[in-house]
């Protein structure tokens, strides 16, 4: 199996679809809502259009495509999404073991997300991961521009005192991968739900099983 050339000094994870398995629930809600507003889309199209972006951006794009989007649409969707995630979201299989390995080897980690803090609070708590990321969750709410701008990843690295070139980002979207590249960080594409073609020309490596990540990072059992 291929791996990075050197062990990272920090790993920064996207949240949705990388740490917590929240993307399917969120995308299904968006699909159903847009269908009711005059924009019927198949789920793969919803995924292609909106994964990695912001809810506000999804609303603007849907409106441009003909959906009847009210001014408070983002708030309405977030209310539905938060309720659904609080009931049923689960962690990405294998993420706990990855965090255990990073802890064991003393490598700091954080989350950098285009989602709001409230969403991360809900999903990480539901998945039993809130304590592990306490004080290390960064949102597009904390920076001037969301991904694909590099701001949230640069903030996470700065707060940890780690140079961008010493960080590795784990992303499941092209938008997030573009942000990592712009930040000057290595990026691994997580293709569990994302077609590998989305990562072409952006990522250093692509993988589809979180159990593979420690080896890709060059972290081996002692």
């Amino acid at each position: 199996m291929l791996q990075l050339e050197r062990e990272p000094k920090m790993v920064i994870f996207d949240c949705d679809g990388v740490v917590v398995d929240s993307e399917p629930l969120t995308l299904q809600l968006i699909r159903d809502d847009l269908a009711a507003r005059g924009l019927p889309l198949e789920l793969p199209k919803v995924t292609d259009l909106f994964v990695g972006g912001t809810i506000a951006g999804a609303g603007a794009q849907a409106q441009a495509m003909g959906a009847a989007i009210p001014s408070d649409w983002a708030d309405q969707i977030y209310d539905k999404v938060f309720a659904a995630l609080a009931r049923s979201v689960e962690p990405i299989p294998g993420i706990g073991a990855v965090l255990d390995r990073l802890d064991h080897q003393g490598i700091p980690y954080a989350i950098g997300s285009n989602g709001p803090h409230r969403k991360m609070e809900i999903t990480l708590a539901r998945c039993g991961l809130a304590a592990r990321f306490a004080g290390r969750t960064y949102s597009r709410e904390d920076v001037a521009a969301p991904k694909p701008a590099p701001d949230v990843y640069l903030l996470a690295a700065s707060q940890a005192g780690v140079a961008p070139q010493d960080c590795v980002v784990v992303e499941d979207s092209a938008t997030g991968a573009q942000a990592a590249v712009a930040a000057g960080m290595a990026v691994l594409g997580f293709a569990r739900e994302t077609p590998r073609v989305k990562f072409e020309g952006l990522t250093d490596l692509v993988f589809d099983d979180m159990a593979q990540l420690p080896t890709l990072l060059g972290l081996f059992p002692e």
Side-chain angles (χ1 to χ4, degrees), residues 3 7 37 44 68 70 73 77-79 114 131 175 177 180 187 202 210:
Q3 65 186 79
E7 183 179 288
R37 298 181 188 280
W73 184 79
I77 285 294
Y78 271 130
D79 286 345
N114 261 356
T175 300
V187 56
L202 292 171
M210 197 56 69

Side-chain angles (χ1 to χ4, degrees), residues 74-90:
D75 291 336
Q76 291 185 34
I77 285 294
Y78 271 130
D79 286 345
K80 294 178 182 179
V81 168
F82 291 168
L85 294 176
R87 289 192 301 269
S88 59
V89 72
E90 298 294 335

Side-chain angles (χ1 to χ4, degrees), residues 25-220:
L25 284 168
T26 302
L27 293 167
Q28 288 164 19
L29 282 168
I30 291 174
R31 177 199 60 189
D32 294 346
D33 184 271
L34 293 181
R37 298 181 188 280
L39 184 62
L41 298 170
E42 296 295 328
L43 191 57
K45 184 63 173 178
V46 174
T47 301
D48 184 60
L49 288 172
F50 303 134
V51 165
T54 64
I55 290 293
Q61 190 168 357
Q63 187 172 42
M65 295 172 69
I69 302 295
S71 60
D72 64 344
W73 184 79
D75 291 336
Q76 291 185 34
I77 285 294
Y78 271 130
D79 286 345
K80 294 178 182 179
V81 168
F82 291 168
L85 294 176
R87 289 192 301 269
S88 59
V89 72
E90 298 294 335
I92 290 292
I95 190 64
V98 170
L99 301 181
D100 288 343
R101 185 74 63 81
L102 292 171
D103 284 337
H104 179 70
Q105 299 198 212
I107 297 174
Y109 50 86
I111 284 175
S113 175
N114 261 356
H117 278 289
R118 180 60 182 147
K119 185 178 183 183
M120 289 187 278
E121 289 167 2
I122 290 169
T123 58
L124 293 174
R126 159 81 188 176
C127 293
L129 297 171
R132 305 198 74 159
F133 287 102
R136 295 183 286 181
T137 57
Y138 301 94
S139 162
R140 49 94 173 152
E141 295 174 324
D142 302 321
V143 293
K147 305 173 195 176
D151 301 27
V152 73
Y153 285 137
L154 292 173
L155 175 62
S158 174
Q159 291 295 305
V162 178
Q165 64 267 27
D166 293 325
C167 297
V168 171
V169 169
V170 183
E171 263 290 351
D172 72 328
S173 74
T175 300
Q178 290 165 6
V181 171
M185 300 177 179
V187 56
L188 302 183
F190 186 45
R192 179 172 179 258
E193 300 286 347
T194 306
R196 287 175 174 256
V197 68
K198 293 286 188 180
F199 296 120
E200 284 186 4
L202 292 171
T203 57
D204 295 83
L205 297 168
V206 178
F207 68 109
D208 57 17
D209 184 344
M210 197 56 69
Q212 300 169 317
L213 184 57
T215 300
L216 296 177
L217 293 172
L219 310 180
F220 297 100

